[in-house]
Amino acid sequence: MIEKALHFVKQGYTAIKMQVAHVHTPAQDLDNVRRMREALGPDIDIMIDVNMGWSADVAIEMGADGLPNTFVPGRNLVFLTFAAALAYPDQIFQGKITNVSNVVDADTRVLQARVELANPNGLLKPDMFCTIHLDQAHTDQAKIGKVLAVNPKAIIFSSDQYFVIRRKPGTPEPRPDQDASVGYEVVPVKVLHSNSSYDYVVGKLKDGDQVVTQGSLLLYNDLNGN
């Protein structure tokens, strides 16, 4: 499969579609895609066709945790969708958001978006309803790093830069007579996306890091000697 993909790239193709989920496990599927990414490099888009081989739970898990952290290409932020049709609860229809309105309805507070879904065998019909699951993917994940969801109250904006206050791993809470730097440190982050619940950031944070959400600005000023 990799040799065939390289052949097409030499012919000028800038995107490759590969099918997975035939006889492999999802973990093996991810490994196959990872090897394809290594072979093609960061500039070729890879589109994944699971050929209805993943359950709804597996597709959602892979979209949230597996694919974005390993290979998914895009241009800035790319939104992939997984739709579960009410008439076909065990099937997944993959697609993408192709347009987002720039006007919020004043009455419903709704921002409309157009989603284009693959419709194998014409299963989806007019007037059917789907539950849409969204996933964010990023270009060149190796350079961007892992994206973490952070409480918006933890984010500090100062001097044209975003920061969080992280509890130093393995350190006790500073005593009242100690400097705050004994237990806390300022960590710069880059905010990629925000919604009402989370800010999605990259930087030197890791899974499991504790960040300050109450009084973070006061602590930031203290740590910076302001």
Side-chain angles (χ1 to χ4, degrees):
M1 184 182 296
I2 290 178
E3 290 182 0
K4 184 179 293 187
L6 290 171
H7 172 72
F8 286 125
V9 170
K10 289 180 180 179
Q11 290 184 332
Y13 286 83
T14 60
I16 296 295
K17 177 180 177 181
M18 60 181 294
Q19 287 190 337
V20 297
H22 291 293
V23 295
H24 302 298
T25 65
Q28 290 172 311
D29 291 334
L30 286 180
D31 184 63
N32 288 338
V33 176
R34 188 177 297 111
R35 289 190 289 111
M36 179 69 77
R37 166 57 66 213
E38 291 173 354
L40 298 183
D43 298 324
I44 302 298
D45 287 348
I46 300 177
M47 296 170 285
I48 306 304
D49 181 1
V50 300
N51 199 28
M52 295 184 290
W54 289 352
S55 67
D57 289 341
V58 168
I60 292 169
E61 179 182 353
M62 289 298 166
D65 299 321
L67 303 182
N69 293 326
T70 54
F71 77 91
V72 174
R75 296 293 179 265
N76 297 321
L77 291 179
V78 174
F79 290 92
L80 303 179
T81 66
F82 299 93
L86 301 183
Y88 308 104
D90 296 326
Q91 296 199 43
I92 288 295
F93 300 87
Q94 188 173 0
K96 61 183 179 180
I97 294 178
T98 58
N99 184 64
V100 178
S101 171
N102 58 4
V103 178
V104 177
D105 187 286
D107 296 324
T108 62
R109 305 290 183 179
V110 169
L111 185 69
Q112 294 188 349
R114 182 173 67 232
V115 178
E116 294 183 3
L117 297 174
N119 188 17
N121 303 318
L123 294 177
L124 297 177
K125 307 295 183 183
D127 297 324
M128 280 187 171
F129 291 90
C130 292
T131 300
I132 302 295
H133 302 272
L134 295 181
D135 174 59
Q136 270 182 216
H138 298 272
T139 304
D140 201 351
Q141 193 71 31
K143 292 183 180 180
I144 292 177
K146 189 168 185 179
V147 181
L148 298 176
V150 176
N151 188 323
K153 294 181 180 179
I155 302 296
I156 301 164
F157 184 74
S158 178
S159 302
D160 297 322
Q161 170 72 53
Y162 291 99
F163 302 92
V164 297
I165 306 300
R166 175 172 60 188
R167 178 74 175 273
K168 290 183 178 180
T171 61
E173 179 71 21
R175 299 191 308 271
D177 61 328
Q178 289 181 310
D179 190 89
S181 61
V182 171
Y184 298 94
E185 59 187 347
V186 177
V187 179
V189 295
K190 181 178 180 180
V191 178
L192 298 179
H193 179 67
S194 299
N195 59 31
S196 59
S197 301
Y198 298 104
D199 284 343
Y200 296 89
V201 306
V202 292
K204 294 184 178 180
L205 288 178
K206 302 185 299 294
D207 283 340
D209 280 350
Q210 295 181 323
V211 296
V212 177
T213 58
Q214 299 292 333
S216 56
L217 182 57
L218 292 175
L219 193 52
Y220 172 81
N221 290 332
D222 188 21
L223 291 170
N224 283 280
N226 297 330

